[in-house]
DNA sequence: CTGAAAGCGCTTACAG
DNA sequence: CTGAAAGCGCTTACAG
């Protein structure tokens, strides 16, 4: 670590093994193992602990994860399999996971092809790495029922996970109902929905609950009032721009968006079109991304706790790994409607 | 894989080992190993190959990565360490890496805290996993000089990497010069620069080369004409909105942006402010993200080959891993100015 | 072409 | 408290 380290930047000759440390300290590798893993107390004399510690730091010994994993049967690695990492929601999710895993487990990400649910063979290969547990983001139901993992698995954002697969989800259906109720309370009668076309379960749920709630409230979702684009401000803007003339003619005054990203596109085009928000058009989204409080106007959104989702999933996984019982196999985190200027004129 | 698999969703009793396969096929584990690793040809009789293949598929055997890694000394894992994953540029980078690694190596991501260069101890722990190689995205120079890895490492987007660390970079300086020359050719005399405040070397390079080129062309970057925000459309929009009155008063007619994301913010605010682009204001960015061709107006940008960056780095790493010589330790991929409506009125 | 055996680096009963 | 030894699952010279 010393910047003047003569070895800096070069290939160290060969890695330091426990045997080398044992020799240097004059003890057995068993003792080195105990000390290196913090299991020395009460089992190794203070004198030997010191000698081993000294040798470890002198030689720069790091426990070899492979040897250790083989001996123990598992590694201290947690692998998270995720289809889509390039969005701020995911970054917050990871932050939550990392927080709970701390330094006890090493988090590694395995990215599947964009928008694809992971495949069973792919995950089986990952299993060959002997992770302590697996976190699987947005898997589809079929995958989950086919997997059958020998190690603990927790699904994230998998509302359709079978009961035997622990999962932690977001209550997006309730969020959708809250959004619709909010629109209804404001007097909107005809609404539209800007969906995401990625086909994950959480997105499907949002749309279905939205549609259902609209009818329950006696409101209308006219012909052609549900369109879908990718999760991209530009695509959403273009989609809205194309649909708006007709929607306007149909008397639509409010738009629910599957994600805040979609809503940003709507806001952008609406401002360019000179629409008065929220008077002529009300817009709301899902996710409550950080920027939603500073858009113009600020965006009404369903706050979904990405970090809580990550920490919750990691917590469940730790329980499983460590053999503790789960309070519940499926956890559902509530969302929260955050009302801002895109639906209600603010002071 | 059969959906009717009675084991589906349950914990398989215990993993299948090479010894079990050997017993089932009536051969030794050595033979199983040869067949399972595709090294059988010319060394195992066709008859035994068949028997082993049969047993492998009957039992669903997968080579244990841990055992294999220990025996071989390395795993077939490539770990990519990255500070910031939540942007589309990174997704394309990954795609390039995956393409070159194919199924020969398993790509795993290790995410550092947002915006942080990885730390040496962190990476040392990763080394305990015995990866075949390491890909390190946007490391700082100090990290690189301290690391001294026993395994192949390739730095990505590290223009200040020391010569002994192979790196693949983007020629952002040339890109900045091209951008400025483009502005100059259009007759702009006073320009501004909207920087990113993340402090990575590539961003620093863009800004310095831009500034330098401005002076070389006899143009001006007036007092207060360089501001910085996070890489976020909203932040950039707000930053621009706050600065524009003064910039306008100073006679600034063109803005260079450190990333397209910044430029989107400028475009957004400019349209709202009713500015005529490109007549009253010209805007250009870096990255040429997919959406840049469909903004309104389409954005002039320096196309940086994210996928090529990923595939180039992966290719270098493979060479290193496989013991082949490198053509060059440092690779620099050219950028390309793509002129669109945000700087030049289009037909 | 084949299999017995050594060895990768570690952990963990076990005997002392 | 301590160390010799077995064993984790695999790969690879080696002898046949």
């Amino acid at each position: 670590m010393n910047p003047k380290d003569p070895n800096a930047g070069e290939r160290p000759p060969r890695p330091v093994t426990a045997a080398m440390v044992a020799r240097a300290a004059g003890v057995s590798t068993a003792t080195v193992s105990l000390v290196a893993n913090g299991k020395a107390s009460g089992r190794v004399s203070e004198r030997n602990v010191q000698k081993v510690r000294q040798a470890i730091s002198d030689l720069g010994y790091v426990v070899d994860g492979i040897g250790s994993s083989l001996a123990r049967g598992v590694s201290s690695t947690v692998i998270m399999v995720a289809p889509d990492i390039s969005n701020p929601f995911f970054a917050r999710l990871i932050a939550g996971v990392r927080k709970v895993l701390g330094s006890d487990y090493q988090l590694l990400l395995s990215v599947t092809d964009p928008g694809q649910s992971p495949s069973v063979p792919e995950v089986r290969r990952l299993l060959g790495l002997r992770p302590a547990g697996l976190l699987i983001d947005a898997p589809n139901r079929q995958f989950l029922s086919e997997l059958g993992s020998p190690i603990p698995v927790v699904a994230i954002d998998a509302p359709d996970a079978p009961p035997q697969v622990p999962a932690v989800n977001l209550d997006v259906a309730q969020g959708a109902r809250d959004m619709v109720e909010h629109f209804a309370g404001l007097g909107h009668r005809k609404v539209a929905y800007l969906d995401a076309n990625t086909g994950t379960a959480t997105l499907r749920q949002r749309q279905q609950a939205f549609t259902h709630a609209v009818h329950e409230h006696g409101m209308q979702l006219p012909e052609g009032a549900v369109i879908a684009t990718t999760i991209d401000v530009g695509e959403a803007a273009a989609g809205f721009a194309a649909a708006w003339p007709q929607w306007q003619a149909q008397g639509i005054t409010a738009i629910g968006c599957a994600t805040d990203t979609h809503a940003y596109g709507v806001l952008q085009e609406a401002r360019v079109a000179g629409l008065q928000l929220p008077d002529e058009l009300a817009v709301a989204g899902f996710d409550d991304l950080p920027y939603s409080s500073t858009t113009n106007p600020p965006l009404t959104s369903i706050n979904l706790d990405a970090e809580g989702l990550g920490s919750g999933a990691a917590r469940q996984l730790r329980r499983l790994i460590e053999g503790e019982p789960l309070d519940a196999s499926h956890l559902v985190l509530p969302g929260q409607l955050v009302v801002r200027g895109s639906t209600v004129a603010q002071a």
Side-chain angles (χ1 to χ4, degrees), chain A residues 38-165:
Chain A
K39 297 178 180 169
S41 106
R43 302 211 259 167
V44 178
S45 68
E46 190 51 34
R47 187 157 159 280
N48 274 349
V49 170
Q50 292 311 334
K51 287 202 291 184
V52 172
R53 288 234 176 91
Q54 188 59 248
I56 286 179
S57 83
D58 285 350
L59 301 178
Y61 173 67
V62 178
V63 175
D64 182 274
I66 296 292
S68 171
S69 299
L70 186 58
R72 284 209 248 242
V74 298
S75 72
S76 59
T77 277
V78 165
I79 299 186
M80 175 157 175
V81 185
D84 184 15
I85 56 166
S86 68
N87 64 67
F89 190 83
F90 188 74
R92 289 199 288 146
L93 181 67
I94 291 284
V97 171
R98 282 169 60 93
K99 195 164 288 178
V100 171
L101 259 26
S103 60
D104 301 330
Y105 298 93
Q106 213 155 21
L107 179 66
L108 255 18
L109 258 46
S110 175
V111 183
T112 62
D113 279 321
Q116 293 290 293
S117 176
S119 75
V120 171
E122 217 173 340
V123 173
R124 286 223 202 287
R125 271 194 83 190
L126 255 17
L127 253 22
L129 264 25
R130 301 276 196 101
L134 239 38
L135 251 17
I136 307 195
D137 187 38
N140 62 32
R141 191 188 166 79
Q142 201 204 354
F143 167 84
L144 250 21
S145 63
E146 283 177 12
L147 183 58
S149 158
I151 61 163
V153 170
V154 173
I156 297 177
D157 221 347
D160 52 1
Q164 73 274 19
V165 179

Side-chain angles (χ1 to χ4, degrees), chain A residues 192-260:
Chain A
Y193 189 76
L194 179 47
D195 203 355
N197 60 10
T198 56
T200 54
T202 179
L203 262 1
R204 215 156 39 236
Q205 272 203 331
R206 297 173 194 197
Q207 191 265 108
Q208 285 170 353
F210 185 91
T211 303
H212 191 250
V214 163
H215 295 137
E216 273 202 328
H217 280 278
M219 296 158 69
Q220 280 180 55
L221 203 54
E223 181 76 23
V226 177
I227 63 172
T229 75
T230 60
I231 305 180
D232 177 291
V233 177
E235 295 288 318
F240 169 73
W244 178 242
Q246 198 201 323
W247 288 358
Q248 187 167 33
Q250 290 173 136
I252 285 171
T253 57
I255 302 181
C257 298
T259 74
D260 277 6

